[in-house]
Amino acid sequence: MTAAAPRPSADRDRAARVSGTVRIVGAGLLGASIGHALRALGVDVILTDTSPTQLRLAIDYGAGRAEAAGDAPSLIVVAVPPDVTADVVQRELERFPGVVVTDVASVKLGPLSELRERGLDLTHYIGSHPMAGRERGGAISARADIFAGRPWVICRDGETTAADLALVEALALDLGATPIEMTPEEHDRSVALVSHVPQVVASLLAGRFTDAPDEALRLAGQGVRDTTRIAHSAPELWVQILGANHAPVVDVLDALAADLASLADALRDPDAAGARRALADAIRRGNDGVERLPGKHGQNRRFESFVVMIDDTAGQLGRLFGDLGTLQINIEDLRLEHSPGAQFGLAEISVVPGALRGAVEGLEQRGWRIASTTHD
């Protein structure tokens, strides 16, 4: 139950690119998080929401203030569910003519098509979407730092002026995100692949656990937790998202279903000619796909990792970090796993390839037990 995360000291005196007052419609996770981040930069933030409780919570946690007579926003951010995004954008455009309105809905083509069909002047409307979020929603889960280092898609069109585009880009940059321009069609196809279908897959896999015996679930390790982490997401929101982006999602699901059917056929008779090659090719294709995912800070830079056994006693993790610091080893990524029934945990630490050998040898000399080394 965290409000705005503390800003790094280096950011405390940084001037905001966005000037004037920002009006945020929708005080849930994304809206309140935007408010926290902007207020940390000294920006005046107005919050409004159809839910008085949600609005009051967001204000109490410091994400912004209530609207007042005479407010004149310089930018409006619509952060409402996809099924009402077009309605709210229309209302804001009509209420504040000439003010730039952007929305942060996770589907871009649907709302835009609705607005065009209504014949609205969309000169000052720019759809956008920060690729950020948490499994828990609402103002109470909002954080100022959830956008840091994340892509922020901006869908401009031929009517968009350079000044309006610059204002939305400034918003993304103020929040620590990386602006990326796409068409609405490109955006929706992309998020179907990297966001919407992974949600479906995680939910379907986790759904298999509901009737599983306790003995099986006690064997669950970090791998299955990583794979199903997003299965905690809110069904109400995802029904809207999947419905709004159904065509691109169906395309990916159909291709995935064909892959699953092919793999199942190979496993029905693993001794048949070509069956083992089909299995190996499926796993290898997964290796190739993972290699294409951007690494830390969006770089296409791969890391190597090693697993350290850590006694389940106070101070051990701090000692490990201290030893790595002494060895001048930078931690690129970290995952922790507790072994069921054992008095130790496993810390998987990713480093740049050139640092792997020095890290492993240096830690072993200091008494640490290395369980394994792997490629990330």
Side-chain angles (χ1 to χ4, degrees):
M1 304 209 308
T2 307
R7 289 180 297 136
S9 57
D11 287 344
R12 285 177 185 156
D13 298 322
R14 180 167 62 87
R17 297 173 178 85
V18 173
S19 60
T21 296
V22 175
R23 173 181 167 88
I24 300 176
V25 185
L29 173 64
L30 288 183
S33 294
I34 293 170
H36 283 303
L38 290 176
R39 289 206 66 200
L41 294 174
V43 176
D44 180 34
V45 175
I46 302 168
L47 293 177
T48 180
D49 197 288
T50 56
S51 167
T53 300
Q54 184 87 296
L55 177 60
R56 189 69 257 170
L57 272 173
I59 293 173
D60 286 350
Y61 272 94
R65 63 174 176 85
E67 58 183 328
D71 283 333
S74 59
L75 173 66
I76 298 170
V77 181
V78 173
V80 299
D83 63 347
V84 295
T85 293
D87 293 336
V88 176
V89 168
Q90 177 177 353
R91 186 187 72 202
E92 296 299 311
L93 286 171
E94 293 173 344
R95 181 178 174 185
F96 299 96
V99 177
V100 175
V101 177
T102 188
D103 75 279
V104 294
S106 56
V107 178
K108 299 272 61 92
L109 185 58
L112 177 61
S113 298
E114 285 187 54
L115 292 166
R116 283 176 172 168
E117 289 172 2
R118 298 173 188 180
L120 295 174
D121 179 1
L122 301 179
T123 304
H124 298 294
Y125 166 65
I126 305 175
S128 70
H129 179 211
M131 298 298 295
R134 303 181 69 189
E135 294 79 47
R136 295 171 294 173
I140 202 168
S141 300
R143 292 181 58 94
D145 59 358
I146 67 170
F147 308 103
R150 304 299 302 154
W152 190 302
V153 179
I154 301 174
C155 299
R156 69 181 301 185
D157 58 31
E159 298 178 341
T160 303
T161 68
D164 288 356
L165 177 64
L167 185 55
V168 179
E169 289 179 338
L171 172 68
L173 292 169
D174 276 344
L175 272 55
T178 302
I180 297 175
E181 284 194 36
M182 284 184 168
T183 67
E185 293 84 358
E186 289 171 337
H187 168 273
D188 287 1
R189 288 194 300 267
S190 298
V191 294
L193 177 63
V194 302
S195 176
H196 300 171
V197 168
Q199 173 65 54
V200 172
V201 171
S203 296
L204 291 175
L205 178 58
R208 307 305 304 172
F209 304 157
T210 56
D211 298 321
D214 292 341
E215 292 77 10
L217 297 181
R218 278 198 288 267
L219 302 179
Q222 194 61 39
V224 72
R225 289 184 172 86
D226 288 345
T227 307
T228 58
R229 177 182 59 82
I230 57 175
H232 282 293
S233 300
E236 300 84 359
L237 176 61
W238 276 98
V239 167
Q240 293 186 38
I241 293 173
L242 295 172
N245 201 30
H246 59 92
V249 169
V250 166
D251 288 343
V252 181
L253 286 176
D254 282 345
L256 185 60
D259 290 341
L260 288 171
S262 177
L263 193 65
D265 287 343
L267 285 171
R268 286 187 177 91
D269 186 3
D271 292 326
R276 284 183 167 79
R277 176 174 178 174
L279 299 177
D281 285 347
I283 301 300
R284 184 181 297 111
R285 184 170 172 80
N287 296 160
D288 294 341
V290 167
E291 286 297 319
R292 294 199 61 204
L293 292 176
K296 184 179 178 183
H297 306 313
Q299 304 173 31
N300 290 316
R301 184 183 186 187
R302 307 317 306 166
F303 304 125
E304 293 181 340
S305 62
F306 56 95
V307 178
V308 185
M309 299 176 66
I310 302 177
D311 291 335
D312 191 12
T313 56
Q316 291 303 299
L317 193 58
R319 185 168 72 86
L320 174 62
F321 290 167
D323 285 347
L324 286 169
T326 301
L327 293 167
Q328 299 295 303
I329 302 296
N330 186 52
I331 299 174
E332 304 293 343
D333 200 2
L334 169 69
R335 291 192 297 177
L336 294 176
E337 179 179 356
H338 292 283
S339 298
Q343 297 302 309
F344 63 87
L346 301 173
E348 181 178 352
I349 297 172
S350 296
V351 297
V352 295
L356 179 64
R357 181 175 179 179
V360 170
E361 292 180 353
L363 289 177
E364 286 179 333
Q365 292 171 1
R366 286 162 172 78
W368 292 99
R369 293 171 291 171
I370 307 299
S372 64
T373 59
T374 60
H375 292 284
D376 188 19

mmCIF file of all heavy atoms in Angstrom, residues 2 4 30 96 153 156 208 215 222 239 269 274 278 295 310 322 327 356 360 374:
data_model
loop_
_atom_site.group_PDB
_atom_site.id
_atom_site.type_symbol
_atom_site.label_atom_id
_atom_site.label_comp_id
_atom_site.label_asym_id
_atom_site.label_seq_id
_atom_site.Cartn_x
_atom_site.Cartn_y
_atom_site.Cartn_z
ATOM 1 N N THR A 2 1.508 1.440 -1.155
ATOM 2 C CA THR A 2 2.526 2.474 -1.264
ATOM 3 C C THR A 2 2.052 3.614 -2.129
ATOM 4 O O THR A 2 1.503 3.395 -3.194
ATOM 5 C CB THR A 2 3.812 1.875 -1.882
ATOM 6 O OG1 THR A 2 4.167 0.727 -1.131
ATOM 7 C CG2 THR A 2 4.933 2.878 -1.854
ATOM 8 N N ALA A 4 3.430 7.548 -3.607
ATOM 9 C CA ALA A 4 4.543 7.929 -4.472
ATOM 10 C C ALA A 4 5.867 7.471 -3.894
ATOM 11 O O ALA A 4 6.164 7.702 -2.733
ATOM 12 C CB ALA A 4 4.566 9.447 -4.664
ATOM 13 N N LEU A 30 -2.787 4.031 -13.013
ATOM 14 C CA LEU A 30 -1.999 4.833 -13.940
ATOM 15 C C LEU A 30 -2.198 6.322 -13.710
ATOM 16 O O LEU A 30 -1.233 7.097 -13.671
ATOM 17 C CB LEU A 30 -2.346 4.472 -15.381
ATOM 18 C CG LEU A 30 -1.851 3.118 -15.885
ATOM 19 C CD1 LEU A 30 -2.201 2.946 -17.351
ATOM 20 C CD2 LEU A 30 -0.353 2.963 -15.676
ATOM 21 N N PHE A 96 -12.739 21.580 -22.998
ATOM 22 C CA PHE A 96 -11.515 22.385 -23.015
ATOM 23 C C PHE A 96 -10.997 22.482 -24.451
ATOM 24 O O PHE A 96 -9.957 21.899 -24.785
ATOM 25 C CB PHE A 96 -10.449 21.782 -22.111
ATOM 26 C CG PHE A 96 -10.829 21.695 -20.660
ATOM 27 C CD1 PHE A 96 -11.351 20.517 -20.139
ATOM 28 C CD2 PHE A 96 -10.676 22.785 -19.818
ATOM 29 C CE1 PHE A 96 -11.701 20.427 -18.799
ATOM 30 C CE2 PHE A 96 -11.024 22.708 -18.483
ATOM 31 C CZ PHE A 96 -11.549 21.530 -17.963
ATOM 32 N N VAL A 153 4.250 4.605 -25.838
ATOM 33 C CA VAL A 153 3.869 4.683 -27.243
ATOM 34 C C VAL A 153 3.007 5.923 -27.471
ATOM 35 O O VAL A 153 2.070 6.186 -26.717
ATOM 36 C CB VAL A 153 3.106 3.421 -27.680
ATOM 37 C CG1 VAL A 153 2.698 3.538 -29.149
ATOM 38 C CG2 VAL A 153 3.975 2.183 -27.473
ATOM 39 N N ARG A 156 0.613 9.546 -33.128
ATOM 40 C CA ARG A 156 0.290 10.801 -33.804
ATOM 41 C C ARG A 156 -0.360 10.497 -35.151
ATOM 42 O O ARG A 156 -0.311 9.361 -35.638
ATOM 43 C CB ARG A 156 1.547 11.625 -34.014
ATOM 44 C CG ARG A 156 2.505 11.014 -35.032
ATOM 45 C CD ARG A 156 3.760 11.804 -35.232
ATOM 46 N NE ARG A 156 3.496 13.167 -35.684
ATOM 47 C CZ ARG A 156 4.460 14.022 -36.020
ATOM 48 N NH1 ARG A 156 5.735 13.653 -35.925
ATOM 49 N NH2 ARG A 156 4.167 15.221 -36.434
ATOM 50 N N ARG A 208 -4.872 -23.996 -14.310
ATOM 51 C CA ARG A 208 -4.690 -25.451 -14.148
ATOM 52 C C ARG A 208 -4.335 -25.815 -12.708
ATOM 53 O O ARG A 208 -4.444 -26.980 -12.326
ATOM 54 C CB ARG A 208 -3.574 -25.948 -15.078
ATOM 55 C CG ARG A 208 -3.700 -25.575 -16.543
ATOM 56 C CD ARG A 208 -5.010 -26.012 -17.137
ATOM 57 N NE ARG A 208 -5.252 -27.447 -16.996
ATOM 58 C CZ ARG A 208 -6.395 -28.053 -17.303
ATOM 59 N NH1 ARG A 208 -7.417 -27.331 -17.734
ATOM 60 N NH2 ARG A 208 -6.526 -29.345 -17.157
ATOM 61 N N GLU A 215 0.224 -31.746 -3.187
ATOM 62 C CA GLU A 215 1.562 -32.330 -3.301
ATOM 63 C C GLU A 215 2.286 -31.800 -4.537
ATOM 64 O O GLU A 215 3.498 -31.580 -4.519
ATOM 65 C CB GLU A 215 1.471 -33.862 -3.381
ATOM 66 C CG GLU A 215 1.011 -34.527 -2.110
ATOM 67 C CD GLU A 215 -0.493 -34.405 -1.879
ATOM 68 O OE1 GLU A 215 -1.209 -33.954 -2.823
ATOM 69 O OE2 GLU A 215 -0.962 -34.731 -0.779
ATOM 70 N N GLN A 222 10.633 -21.099 -8.735
ATOM 71 C CA GLN A 222 10.579 -19.736 -9.244
ATOM 72 C C GLN A 222 10.134 -19.681 -10.698
ATOM 73 O O GLN A 222 9.506 -18.708 -11.131
ATOM 74 C CB GLN A 222 11.944 -19.072 -9.093
ATOM 75 C CG GLN A 222 11.912 -17.564 -9.275
ATOM 76 C CD GLN A 222 11.029 -16.878 -8.245
ATOM 77 O OE1 GLN A 222 11.020 -17.271 -7.088
ATOM 78 N NE2 GLN A 222 10.285 -15.870 -8.684
ATOM 79 N N VAL A 239 -11.183 -8.196 -19.377
ATOM 80 C CA VAL A 239 -12.301 -8.456 -20.283
ATOM 81 C C VAL A 239 -12.448 -7.292 -21.258
ATOM 82 O O VAL A 239 -12.672 -7.485 -22.459
ATOM 83 C CB VAL A 239 -13.602 -8.672 -19.475
ATOM 84 C CG1 VAL A 239 -14.816 -8.612 -20.398
ATOM 85 C CG2 VAL A 239 -13.566 -10.023 -18.766
ATOM 86 N N ASP A 269 3.879 -39.513 -29.595
ATOM 87 C CA ASP A 269 4.770 -40.627 -29.927
ATOM 88 C C ASP A 269 6.179 -40.082 -30.059
ATOM 89 O O ASP A 269 6.663 -39.820 -31.161
ATOM 90 C CB ASP A 269 4.325 -41.310 -31.232
ATOM 91 C CG ASP A 269 5.155 -42.566 -31.525
ATOM 92 O OD1 ASP A 269 6.022 -42.918 -30.692
ATOM 93 O OD2 ASP A 269 4.930 -43.182 -32.580
ATOM 94 N N GLY A 274 11.315 -37.864 -36.446
ATOM 95 C CA GLY A 274 11.193 -36.413 -36.434
ATOM 96 C C GLY A 274 10.575 -35.815 -35.193
ATOM 97 O O GLY A 274 10.551 -34.587 -35.042
ATOM 98 N N ALA A 278 11.278 -32.072 -33.580
ATOM 99 C CA ALA A 278 10.210 -31.085 -33.426
ATOM 100 C C ALA A 278 10.245 -30.472 -32.033
ATOM 101 O O ALA A 278 10.058 -29.253 -31.863
ATOM 102 C CB ALA A 278 8.851 -31.724 -33.691
ATOM 103 N N GLY A 295 17.339 -6.012 -23.262
ATOM 104 C CA GLY A 295 17.847 -6.242 -21.910
ATOM 105 C C GLY A 295 17.696 -5.015 -21.048
ATOM 106 O O GLY A 295 16.829 -4.165 -21.252
ATOM 107 N N ILE A 310 22.191 -19.049 -0.305
ATOM 108 C CA ILE A 310 22.247 -18.094 0.796
ATOM 109 C C ILE A 310 21.543 -18.683 2.016
ATOM 110 O O ILE A 310 20.384 -19.093 1.927
ATOM 111 C CB ILE A 310 21.560 -16.762 0.414
ATOM 112 C CG1 ILE A 310 22.209 -16.164 -0.830
ATOM 113 C CG2 ILE A 310 21.624 -15.773 1.560
ATOM 114 C CD1 ILE A 310 21.538 -14.898 -1.301
ATOM 115 N N GLY A 322 27.675 -6.778 -0.533
ATOM 116 C CA GLY A 322 28.920 -6.129 -0.151
ATOM 117 C C GLY A 322 30.123 -6.786 -0.793
ATOM 118 O O GLY A 322 31.046 -6.097 -1.277
ATOM 119 N N LEU A 327 34.302 -6.745 -5.140
ATOM 120 C CA LEU A 327 34.859 -7.344 -6.351
ATOM 121 C C LEU A 327 34.623 -6.482 -7.587
ATOM 122 O O LEU A 327 35.021 -6.876 -8.691
ATOM 123 C CB LEU A 327 34.230 -8.731 -6.581
ATOM 124 C CG LEU A 327 34.589 -9.809 -5.553
ATOM 125 C CD1 LEU A 327 33.669 -11.013 -5.710
ATOM 126 C CD2 LEU A 327 36.049 -10.226 -5.715
ATOM 127 N N LEU A 356 31.484 -12.690 -15.341
ATOM 128 C CA LEU A 356 30.998 -13.927 -14.727
ATOM 129 C C LEU A 356 32.098 -14.686 -13.990
ATOM 130 O O LEU A 356 31.943 -15.048 -12.821
ATOM 131 C CB LEU A 356 30.372 -14.822 -15.801
ATOM 132 C CG LEU A 356 29.827 -16.169 -15.298
ATOM 133 C CD1 LEU A 356 28.670 -15.940 -14.333
ATOM 134 C CD2 LEU A 356 29.385 -17.044 -16.473
ATOM 135 N N VAL A 360 32.240 -15.385 -9.860
ATOM 136 C CA VAL A 360 32.131 -16.738 -9.292
ATOM 137 C C VAL A 360 33.368 -17.091 -8.479
ATOM 138 O O VAL A 360 33.280 -17.551 -7.332
ATOM 139 C CB VAL A 360 31.894 -17.769 -10.421
ATOM 140 C CG1 VAL A 360 32.032 -19.186 -9.877
ATOM 141 C CG2 VAL A 360 30.520 -17.566 -11.042
ATOM 142 N N THR A 374 24.662 -20.021 -15.537
ATOM 143 C CA THR A 374 23.820 -20.179 -16.738
ATOM 144 C C THR A 374 23.928 -18.938 -17.587
ATOM 145 O O THR A 374 24.386 -17.888 -17.150
ATOM 146 C CB THR A 374 22.331 -20.372 -16.361
ATOM 147 O OG1 THR A 374 21.891 -19.231 -15.635
ATOM 148 C CG2 THR A 374 22.152 -21.628 -15.535
#
